[in-house]
């Protein structure tokens, strides 16, 4: 039997780094925080002053709220609100208006009075769920799944999200899924899959949908259950035959069976799938799904580090994302092997950091011609803010409940 708590029982958060590693982590968090609030950093990374949750001021507000620096958190929130008011409203959670609204709702835990009534962002989301946007974009980062995350944080039902996802879904013999139109993706991906593809990942694919529906169902939206069960069935059916790939689940694949990649990251790969399966298993009370999540997590822990394809300390596809996912899985399953993997990837964050360099020494890997280089970034998803939040979680007893954004916060 998998040693996982039942729904409603979430184990207390305990720091996984200790001694010198914990000291290094706390020092890094302090230096990153100092850098993120330094006006000189805004010249290095102008996006940090913007309203986008992925790379702008909302993510910094979350960091400072978690550090107990509420005045600074409110300064960044005010900056985000001011910039958002100047921009045309848009619907993607990570770069649009709902990201600012999510941050407002999240900061009610720390420094703001609860907003009991509907607000302008609620109305925008309601309109968006009835528009072509919700039928065209289904994922977490830029689509309908992200709107579900916003509504869950607001304590709202996600029936409209369920309806929009059901309307845009494709029914197959394996269950329900979502086809990715090549016109909506990066040119290099469209070139690889000119007729479109299925996406299994957390950031842009099926794992993200499954995890969000699990959270919505656990929070009381009964209409989410049938869609969750059918989306979960499709996800489980994609498990590769033993020895067929470096991972157990594909990242992307087309109608012709062509598959892409074998990396291990939050955004794509087995670790994100494991977290999604954990959420679904808990929400549905399904021991078989929990067994699969547990086995997949252990499989990830056994994979050689070089298979992960990690080049930086980002949450999205770097060491910070892996450290946090392993930490969440370790706490859920009370599994020391997974805790060791979280510690290992936490040390990788620390080793990748270059003290004295801009934004606390956290750099993001970017293409430079035929090679890759690095640039300093301060944001949540791809920069120093995200790395600091993970290091804080690994070195303190403060649970990283902000990570519902990544759909890795436990279903309760």
């Amino acid at each position: 039997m998998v040693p996982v708590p039942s729904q409603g029982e979430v184990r207390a958060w305990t720091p996984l780094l200790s001694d010198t590693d914990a000291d290094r982590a706390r020092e890094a968090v302090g230096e990153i925080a100092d850098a993120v609030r330094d006006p000189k950093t805004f010249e290095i990374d102008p996006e940090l002053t913007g309203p986008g949750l992925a790379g702008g001021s909302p993510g910094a507000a979350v960091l400072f709220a978690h550090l107990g620096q509420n005045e600074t958190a409110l300064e960044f929130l005010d900056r985000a609100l001011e910039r958002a008011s100047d921009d045309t409203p848009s619907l993607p959670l990570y770069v649009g208006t709902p990201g600012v609204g999510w941050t407002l709702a999240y900061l009610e835990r720390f420094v703001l009075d609860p907003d009991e009534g509907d607000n302008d962002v609620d109305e925008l989301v309601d309109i968006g769920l009835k528009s072509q946007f919700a039928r065209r974009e289904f994922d977490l980062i830029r689509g309908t799944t992200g709107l579900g995350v916003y509504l869950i944080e607001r304590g709202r039902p996600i029936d409209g999200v369920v309806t929009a996802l059901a309307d845009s879904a494709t029914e197959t013999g394996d269950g329900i899924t979502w086809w990715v139109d090549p016109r909506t993706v990066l040119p290099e991906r469209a070139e690889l899959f000119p007729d479109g593809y299925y996406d299994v990942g957390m950031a842009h694919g099926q794992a993200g949908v499954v995890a969000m529906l699990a959270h919505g169902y656990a929070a009381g939206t009964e209409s989410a259950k049938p869609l969750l069960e059918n989306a979960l069935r499709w996800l489980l059916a994609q498990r590769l035959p033993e020895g067929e790939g470096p991972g157990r689940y594909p990242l992307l694949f087309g109608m012709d069976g062509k598959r892409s990649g074998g990396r291990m990251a939050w955004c794509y790969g087995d670790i994100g799938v494991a977290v999604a399966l954990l959420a679904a298993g808990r929400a549905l009370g399904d021991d078989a799904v929990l067994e699969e999540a547990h086995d997949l997590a252990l499989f990830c822990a056994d994979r050689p580090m070089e298979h992960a394809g990690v080049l930086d300390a980002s949450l999205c596809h770097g060491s910070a994302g892996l450290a946090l996912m392993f930490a969440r899985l370790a706490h859920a399953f009370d599994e020391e092997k997974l805790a060791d993997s979280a510690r290992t990837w936490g040390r990788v964050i620390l080793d990748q950091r270059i003290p004295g360099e801009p934004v606390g020494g956290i750099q993001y890997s970017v293409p430079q011609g035929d090679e890759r280089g690095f640039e300093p970034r301060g944001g949540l998803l791809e920069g120093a803010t995200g790395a600091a939040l993970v290091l804080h979680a690994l070195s303190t007893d403060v649970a990283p409940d902000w990570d519902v954004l990544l759909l890795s916060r436990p279903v309760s």
Side-chain angles (χ1 to χ4, degrees), residues 291-321:
E291 289 278 1
E292 174 66 4
H294 182 250
D295 290 348
L296 185 59
L298 292 176
F299 173 80
C300 291
D302 283 334
R303 284 187 68 181
M305 291 180 67
E306 58 268 22
H307 284 187
V310 166
L311 299 175
D312 57 40
S314 68
L315 272 177
C316 185
H317 45 256
S319 55

PDB file of all heavy atoms in Angstrom, residues 291-321:
ATOM      1  N   GLU A 291      -0.568   4.551  -6.666  1.00  0.00           N
ATOM      2  CA  GLU A 291       0.537   3.611  -6.877  1.00  0.00           C
ATOM      3  C   GLU A 291       1.353   4.010  -8.099  1.00  0.00           C
ATOM      4  O   GLU A 291       2.589   3.978  -8.079  1.00  0.00           O
ATOM      5  CB  GLU A 291       0.003   2.186  -7.057  1.00  0.00           C
ATOM      6  CG  GLU A 291      -0.549   1.545  -5.802  1.00  0.00           C
ATOM      7  CD  GLU A 291       0.550   0.952  -4.925  1.00  0.00           C
ATOM      8  OE1 GLU A 291       1.726   1.052  -5.290  1.00  0.00           O
ATOM      9  OE2 GLU A 291       0.199   0.403  -3.858  1.00  0.00           O
ATOM     10  N   GLU A 292       0.671   4.389  -9.174  1.00  0.00           N
ATOM     11  CA  GLU A 292       1.372   4.806 -10.385  1.00  0.00           C
ATOM     12  C   GLU A 292       2.168   6.084 -10.147  1.00  0.00           C
ATOM     13  O   GLU A 292       3.306   6.216 -10.605  1.00  0.00           O
ATOM     14  CB  GLU A 292       0.374   5.005 -11.532  1.00  0.00           C
ATOM     15  CG  GLU A 292       0.970   5.578 -12.814  1.00  0.00           C
ATOM     16  CD  GLU A 292       1.962   4.656 -13.515  1.00  0.00           C
ATOM     17  OE1 GLU A 292       2.163   3.511 -13.059  1.00  0.00           O
ATOM     18  OE2 GLU A 292       2.548   5.094 -14.524  1.00  0.00           O
ATOM     19  N   ALA A 293       1.579   7.037  -9.416  1.00  0.00           N
ATOM     20  CA  ALA A 293       2.299   8.271  -9.090  1.00  0.00           C
ATOM     21  C   ALA A 293       3.551   7.960  -8.272  1.00  0.00           C
ATOM     22  O   ALA A 293       4.627   8.523  -8.515  1.00  0.00           O
ATOM     23  CB  ALA A 293       1.386   9.224  -8.325  1.00  0.00           C
ATOM     24  N   HIS A 294       3.418   7.083  -7.300  1.00  0.00           N
ATOM     25  CA  HIS A 294       4.534   6.708  -6.432  1.00  0.00           C
ATOM     26  C   HIS A 294       5.643   6.023  -7.233  1.00  0.00           C
ATOM     27  O   HIS A 294       6.828   6.376  -7.127  1.00  0.00           O
ATOM     28  CB  HIS A 294       4.004   5.780  -5.336  1.00  0.00           C
ATOM     29  CG  HIS A 294       5.028   5.343  -4.344  1.00  0.00           C
ATOM     30  ND1 HIS A 294       5.489   4.046  -4.277  1.00  0.00           N
ATOM     31  CD2 HIS A 294       5.695   6.019  -3.386  1.00  0.00           C
ATOM     32  CE1 HIS A 294       6.388   3.946  -3.309  1.00  0.00           C
ATOM     33  NE2 HIS A 294       6.527   5.132  -2.757  1.00  0.00           N
ATOM     34  N   ASP A 295       5.262   5.045  -8.060  1.00  0.00           N
ATOM     35  CA  ASP A 295       6.258   4.327  -8.861  1.00  0.00           C
ATOM     36  C   ASP A 295       6.946   5.264  -9.849  1.00  0.00           C
ATOM     37  O   ASP A 295       8.159   5.170 -10.073  1.00  0.00           O
ATOM     38  CB  ASP A 295       5.592   3.179  -9.622  1.00  0.00           C
ATOM     39  CG  ASP A 295       5.154   2.047  -8.710  1.00  0.00           C
ATOM     40  OD1 ASP A 295       5.566   2.038  -7.533  1.00  0.00           O
ATOM     41  OD2 ASP A 295       4.381   1.179  -9.164  1.00  0.00           O
ATOM     42  N   LEU A 296       6.176   6.167 -10.442  1.00  0.00           N
ATOM     43  CA  LEU A 296       6.749   7.096 -11.410  1.00  0.00           C
ATOM     44  C   LEU A 296       7.714   8.055 -10.728  1.00  0.00           C
ATOM     45  O   LEU A 296       8.781   8.383 -11.274  1.00  0.00           O
ATOM     46  CB  LEU A 296       5.626   7.862 -12.116  1.00  0.00           C
ATOM     47  CG  LEU A 296       6.028   8.795 -13.245  1.00  0.00           C
ATOM     48  CD1 LEU A 296       6.765   8.045 -14.346  1.00  0.00           C
ATOM     49  CD2 LEU A 296       4.784   9.489 -13.819  1.00  0.00           C
ATOM     50  N   ALA A 297       7.368   8.506  -9.539  1.00  0.00           N
ATOM     51  CA  ALA A 297       8.259   9.394  -8.785  1.00  0.00           C
ATOM     52  C   ALA A 297       9.577   8.695  -8.476  1.00  0.00           C
ATOM     53  O   ALA A 297      10.665   9.280  -8.624  1.00  0.00           O
ATOM     54  CB  ALA A 297       7.583   9.853  -7.502  1.00  0.00           C
ATOM     55  N   LEU A 298       9.513   7.438  -8.054  1.00  0.00           N
ATOM     56  CA  LEU A 298      10.738   6.682  -7.769  1.00  0.00           C
ATOM     57  C   LEU A 298      11.550   6.455  -9.042  1.00  0.00           C
ATOM     58  O   LEU A 298      12.790   6.487  -9.022  1.00  0.00           O
ATOM     59  CB  LEU A 298      10.387   5.344  -7.115  1.00  0.00           C
ATOM     60  CG  LEU A 298       9.793   5.429  -5.702  1.00  0.00           C
ATOM     61  CD1 LEU A 298       9.412   4.041  -5.209  1.00  0.00           C
ATOM     62  CD2 LEU A 298      10.767   6.090  -4.736  1.00  0.00           C
ATOM     63  N   PHE A 299      10.857   6.218 -10.151  1.00  0.00           N
ATOM     64  CA  PHE A 299      11.547   6.078 -11.436  1.00  0.00           C
ATOM     65  C   PHE A 299      12.308   7.362 -11.768  1.00  0.00           C
ATOM     66  O   PHE A 299      13.457   7.326 -12.218  1.00  0.00           O
ATOM     67  CB  PHE A 299      10.518   5.764 -12.523  1.00  0.00           C
ATOM     68  CG  PHE A 299      11.073   5.751 -13.916  1.00  0.00           C
ATOM     69  CD1 PHE A 299      11.763   4.649 -14.405  1.00  0.00           C
ATOM     70  CD2 PHE A 299      10.894   6.845 -14.755  1.00  0.00           C
ATOM     71  CE1 PHE A 299      12.272   4.636 -15.693  1.00  0.00           C
ATOM     72  CE2 PHE A 299      11.389   6.847 -16.045  1.00  0.00           C
ATOM     73  CZ  PHE A 299      12.090   5.734 -16.517  1.00  0.00           C
ATOM     74  N   CYS A 300      11.671   8.504 -11.532  1.00  0.00           N
ATOM     75  CA  CYS A 300      12.342   9.785 -11.776  1.00  0.00           C
ATOM     76  C   CYS A 300      13.575   9.938 -10.888  1.00  0.00           C
ATOM     77  O   CYS A 300      14.620  10.437 -11.327  1.00  0.00           O
ATOM     78  CB  CYS A 300      11.379  10.935 -11.518  1.00  0.00           C
ATOM     79  SG  CYS A 300      10.038  11.090 -12.719  1.00  0.00           S
ATOM     80  N   ALA A 301      13.460   9.520  -9.634  1.00  0.00           N
ATOM     81  CA  ALA A 301      14.591   9.632  -8.713  1.00  0.00           C
ATOM     82  C   ALA A 301      15.764   8.771  -9.157  1.00  0.00           C
ATOM     83  O   ALA A 301      16.927   9.100  -8.881  1.00  0.00           O
ATOM     84  CB  ALA A 301      14.147   9.228  -7.305  1.00  0.00           C
ATOM     85  N   ASP A 302      15.477   7.681  -9.858  1.00  0.00           N
ATOM     86  CA  ASP A 302      16.538   6.769 -10.311  1.00  0.00           C
ATOM     87  C   ASP A 302      17.179   7.193 -11.622  1.00  0.00           C
ATOM     88  O   ASP A 302      18.234   6.669 -11.987  1.00  0.00           O
ATOM     89  CB  ASP A 302      15.970   5.352 -10.480  1.00  0.00           C
ATOM     90  CG  ASP A 302      15.772   4.638  -9.153  1.00  0.00           C
ATOM     91  OD1 ASP A 302      16.488   4.983  -8.186  1.00  0.00           O
ATOM     92  OD2 ASP A 302      14.904   3.753  -9.083  1.00  0.00           O
ATOM     93  N   ARG A 303      16.547   8.113 -12.341  1.00  0.00           N
ATOM     94  CA  ARG A 303      17.109   8.510 -13.637  1.00  0.00           C
ATOM     95  C   ARG A 303      18.392   9.306 -13.446  1.00  0.00           C
ATOM     96  O   ARG A 303      18.482  10.155 -12.550  1.00  0.00           O
ATOM     97  CB  ARG A 303      16.100   9.361 -14.416  1.00  0.00           C
ATOM     98  CG  ARG A 303      14.979   8.561 -15.037  1.00  0.00           C
ATOM     99  CD  ARG A 303      14.116   9.420 -15.932  1.00  0.00           C
ATOM    100  NE  ARG A 303      14.819   9.862 -17.117  1.00  0.00           N
ATOM    101  CZ  ARG A 303      14.279  10.646 -18.058  1.00  0.00           C
ATOM    102  NH1 ARG A 303      13.034  11.067 -17.939  1.00  0.00           N
ATOM    103  NH2 ARG A 303      14.981  11.011 -19.116  1.00  0.00           N
ATOM    104  N   PRO A 304      19.398   9.065 -14.280  1.00  0.00           N
ATOM    105  CA  PRO A 304      20.632   9.852 -14.185  1.00  0.00           C
ATOM    106  C   PRO A 304      20.337  11.340 -14.368  1.00  0.00           C
ATOM    107  O   PRO A 304      19.481  11.730 -15.168  1.00  0.00           O
ATOM    108  CB  PRO A 304      21.478   9.314 -15.349  1.00  0.00           C
ATOM    109  CG  PRO A 304      20.933   7.950 -15.633  1.00  0.00           C
ATOM    110  CD  PRO A 304      19.469   8.035 -15.334  1.00  0.00           C
ATOM    111  N   MET A 305      21.055  12.175 -13.620  1.00  0.00           N
ATOM    112  CA  MET A 305      20.791  13.607 -13.661  1.00  0.00           C
ATOM    113  C   MET A 305      20.955  14.186 -15.063  1.00  0.00           C
ATOM    114  O   MET A 305      20.228  15.107 -15.450  1.00  0.00           O
ATOM    115  CB  MET A 305      21.710  14.333 -12.680  1.00  0.00           C
ATOM    116  CG  MET A 305      21.398  14.050 -11.231  1.00  0.00           C
ATOM    117  SD  MET A 305      22.492  14.923 -10.097  1.00  0.00           S
ATOM    118  CE  MET A 305      21.999  16.620 -10.383  1.00  0.00           C
ATOM    119  N   GLU A 306      21.889  13.633 -15.835  1.00  0.00           N
ATOM    120  CA  GLU A 306      22.111  14.195 -17.168  1.00  0.00           C
ATOM    121  C   GLU A 306      20.912  13.986 -18.091  1.00  0.00           C
ATOM    122  O   GLU A 306      20.760  14.686 -19.088  1.00  0.00           O
ATOM    123  CB  GLU A 306      23.372  13.603 -17.800  1.00  0.00           C
ATOM    124  CG  GLU A 306      23.389  12.092 -17.947  1.00  0.00           C
ATOM    125  CD  GLU A 306      24.017  11.396 -16.744  1.00  0.00           C
ATOM    126  OE1 GLU A 306      24.057  12.001 -15.660  1.00  0.00           O
ATOM    127  OE2 GLU A 306      24.464  10.250 -16.918  1.00  0.00           O
ATOM    128  N   HIS A 307      20.020  13.022 -17.768  1.00  0.00           N
ATOM    129  CA  HIS A 307      18.826  12.817 -18.582  1.00  0.00           C
ATOM    130  C   HIS A 307      17.833  13.954 -18.438  1.00  0.00           C
ATOM    131  O   HIS A 307      16.946  14.117 -19.273  1.00  0.00           O
ATOM    132  CB  HIS A 307      18.144  11.504 -18.180  1.00  0.00           C
ATOM    133  CG  HIS A 307      18.842  10.282 -18.691  1.00  0.00           C
ATOM    134  ND1 HIS A 307      18.320   9.010 -18.557  1.00  0.00           N
ATOM    135  CD2 HIS A 307      20.027  10.132 -19.318  1.00  0.00           C
ATOM    136  CE1 HIS A 307      19.155   8.138 -19.088  1.00  0.00           C
ATOM    137  NE2 HIS A 307      20.199   8.798 -19.552  1.00  0.00           N
ATOM    138  N   ALA A 308      17.944  14.708 -17.355  1.00  0.00           N
ATOM    139  CA  ALA A 308      16.963  15.766 -17.112  1.00  0.00           C
ATOM    140  C   ALA A 308      17.101  16.923 -18.092  1.00  0.00           C
ATOM    141  O   ALA A 308      16.147  17.663 -18.322  1.00  0.00           O
ATOM    142  CB  ALA A 308      17.101  16.280 -15.677  1.00  0.00           C
ATOM    143  N   GLY A 309      18.279  17.116 -18.650  1.00  0.00           N
ATOM    144  CA  GLY A 309      18.478  18.228 -19.571  1.00  0.00           C
ATOM    145  C   GLY A 309      18.454  19.579 -18.891  1.00  0.00           C
ATOM    146  O   GLY A 309      18.089  20.586 -19.507  1.00  0.00           O
ATOM    147  N   VAL A 310      18.843  19.632 -17.625  1.00  0.00           N
ATOM    148  CA  VAL A 310      18.793  20.875 -16.860  1.00  0.00           C
ATOM    149  C   VAL A 310      19.985  21.765 -17.190  1.00  0.00           C
ATOM    150  O   VAL A 310      21.132  21.331 -17.098  1.00  0.00           O
ATOM    151  CB  VAL A 310      18.757  20.576 -15.351  1.00  0.00           C
ATOM    152  CG1 VAL A 310      19.055  21.820 -14.534  1.00  0.00           C
ATOM    153  CG2 VAL A 310      17.396  20.011 -14.966  1.00  0.00           C
ATOM    154  N   LEU A 311      19.696  23.021 -17.556  1.00  0.00           N
ATOM    155  CA  LEU A 311      20.750  23.978 -17.894  1.00  0.00           C
ATOM    156  C   LEU A 311      20.765  25.180 -16.951  1.00  0.00           C
ATOM    157  O   LEU A 311      21.749  25.920 -16.928  1.00  0.00           O
ATOM    158  CB  LEU A 311      20.571  24.467 -19.336  1.00  0.00           C
ATOM    159  CG  LEU A 311      20.656  23.392 -20.421  1.00  0.00           C
ATOM    160  CD1 LEU A 311      20.344  24.000 -21.782  1.00  0.00           C
ATOM    161  CD2 LEU A 311      22.035  22.745 -20.442  1.00  0.00           C
ATOM    162  N   ASP A 312      19.680  25.388 -16.195  1.00  0.00           N
ATOM    163  CA  ASP A 312      19.615  26.565 -15.328  1.00  0.00           C
ATOM    164  C   ASP A 312      18.809  26.229 -14.078  1.00  0.00           C
ATOM    165  O   ASP A 312      18.420  25.083 -13.853  1.00  0.00           O
ATOM    166  CB  ASP A 312      19.045  27.769 -16.081  1.00  0.00           C
ATOM    167  CG  ASP A 312      17.665  27.512 -16.659  1.00  0.00           C
ATOM    168  OD1 ASP A 312      16.848  26.859 -15.982  1.00  0.00           O
ATOM    169  OD2 ASP A 312      17.373  27.963 -17.778  1.00  0.00           O
ATOM    170  N   ALA A 313      18.561  27.257 -13.264  1.00  0.00           N
ATOM    171  CA  ALA A 313      17.881  27.061 -11.976  1.00  0.00           C
ATOM    172  C   ALA A 313      16.424  27.493 -12.018  1.00  0.00           C
ATOM    173  O   ALA A 313      15.839  27.816 -10.984  1.00  0.00           O
ATOM    174  CB  ALA A 313      18.619  27.833 -10.880  1.00  0.00           C
ATOM    175  N   SER A 314      15.801  27.457 -13.183  1.00  0.00           N
ATOM    176  CA  SER A 314      14.428  27.937 -13.295  1.00  0.00           C
ATOM    177  C   SER A 314      13.432  26.938 -12.726  1.00  0.00           C
ATOM    178  O   SER A 314      13.708  25.745 -12.585  1.00  0.00           O
ATOM    179  CB  SER A 314      14.089  28.215 -14.762  1.00  0.00           C
ATOM    180  OG  SER A 314      14.031  27.009 -15.503  1.00  0.00           O
ATOM    181  N   LEU A 315      12.240  27.457 -12.403  1.00  0.00           N
ATOM    182  CA  LEU A 315      11.133  26.593 -12.028  1.00  0.00           C
ATOM    183  C   LEU A 315      10.624  25.817 -13.227  1.00  0.00           C
ATOM    184  O   LEU A 315      10.304  24.634 -13.123  1.00  0.00           O
ATOM    185  CB  LEU A 315       9.972  27.439 -11.485  1.00  0.00           C
ATOM    186  CG  LEU A 315       9.927  27.785 -10.004  1.00  0.00           C
ATOM    187  CD1 LEU A 315       8.731  28.698  -9.742  1.00  0.00           C
ATOM    188  CD2 LEU A 315       9.824  26.533  -9.153  1.00  0.00           C
ATOM    189  N   CYS A 316      10.548  26.455 -14.369  1.00  0.00           N
ATOM    190  CA  CYS A 316       9.887  25.869 -15.523  1.00  0.00           C
ATOM    191  C   CYS A 316      10.545  24.559 -15.947  1.00  0.00           C
ATOM    192  O   CYS A 316       9.903  23.509 -15.990  1.00  0.00           O
ATOM    193  CB  CYS A 316       9.881  26.862 -16.674  1.00  0.00           C
ATOM    194  SG  CYS A 316       8.952  26.280 -18.114  1.00  0.00           S
ATOM    195  N   HIS A 317      11.826  24.621 -16.256  1.00  0.00           N
ATOM    196  CA  HIS A 317      12.503  23.419 -16.756  1.00  0.00           C
ATOM    197  C   HIS A 317      13.906  23.279 -16.188  1.00  0.00           C
ATOM    198  O   HIS A 317      14.763  22.648 -16.790  1.00  0.00           O
ATOM    199  CB  HIS A 317      12.550  23.441 -18.292  1.00  0.00           C
ATOM    200  CG  HIS A 317      12.960  24.765 -18.857  1.00  0.00           C
ATOM    201  ND1 HIS A 317      12.058  25.632 -19.428  1.00  0.00           N
ATOM    202  CD2 HIS A 317      14.149  25.383 -18.904  1.00  0.00           C
ATOM    203  CE1 HIS A 317      12.691  26.722 -19.816  1.00  0.00           C
ATOM    204  NE2 HIS A 317      13.969  26.601 -19.519  1.00  0.00           N
ATOM    205  N   GLY A 318      14.124  23.860 -15.012  1.00  0.00           N
ATOM    206  CA  GLY A 318      15.442  23.800 -14.411  1.00  0.00           C
ATOM    207  C   GLY A 318      15.455  23.088 -13.070  1.00  0.00           C
ATOM    208  O   GLY A 318      14.516  22.393 -12.681  1.00  0.00           O
ATOM    209  N   SER A 319      16.536  23.302 -12.345  1.00  0.00           N
ATOM    210  CA  SER A 319      16.744  22.601 -11.080  1.00  0.00           C
ATOM    211  C   SER A 319      15.744  22.989 -10.007  1.00  0.00           C
ATOM    212  O   SER A 319      15.373  22.162  -9.160  1.00  0.00           O
ATOM    213  CB  SER A 319      18.178  22.856 -10.586  1.00  0.00           C
ATOM    214  OG  SER A 319      18.446  24.245 -10.503  1.00  0.00           O
ATOM    215  N   ALA A 320      15.270  24.246 -10.003  1.00  0.00           N
ATOM    216  CA  ALA A 320      14.300  24.662  -8.987  1.00  0.00           C
ATOM    217  C   ALA A 320      12.992  23.894  -9.132  1.00  0.00           C
ATOM    218  O   ALA A 320      12.401  23.456  -8.136  1.00  0.00           O
ATOM    219  CB  ALA A 320      14.042  26.165  -9.069  1.00  0.00           C
ATOM    220  N   GLY A 321      12.532  23.723 -10.366  1.00  0.00           N
ATOM    221  CA  GLY A 321      11.308  22.963 -10.583  1.00  0.00           C
ATOM    222  C   GLY A 321      11.435  21.524 -10.129  1.00  0.00           C
ATOM    223  O   GLY A 321      10.535  20.977  -9.485  1.00  0.00           O
TER     224      GLY A 321
END
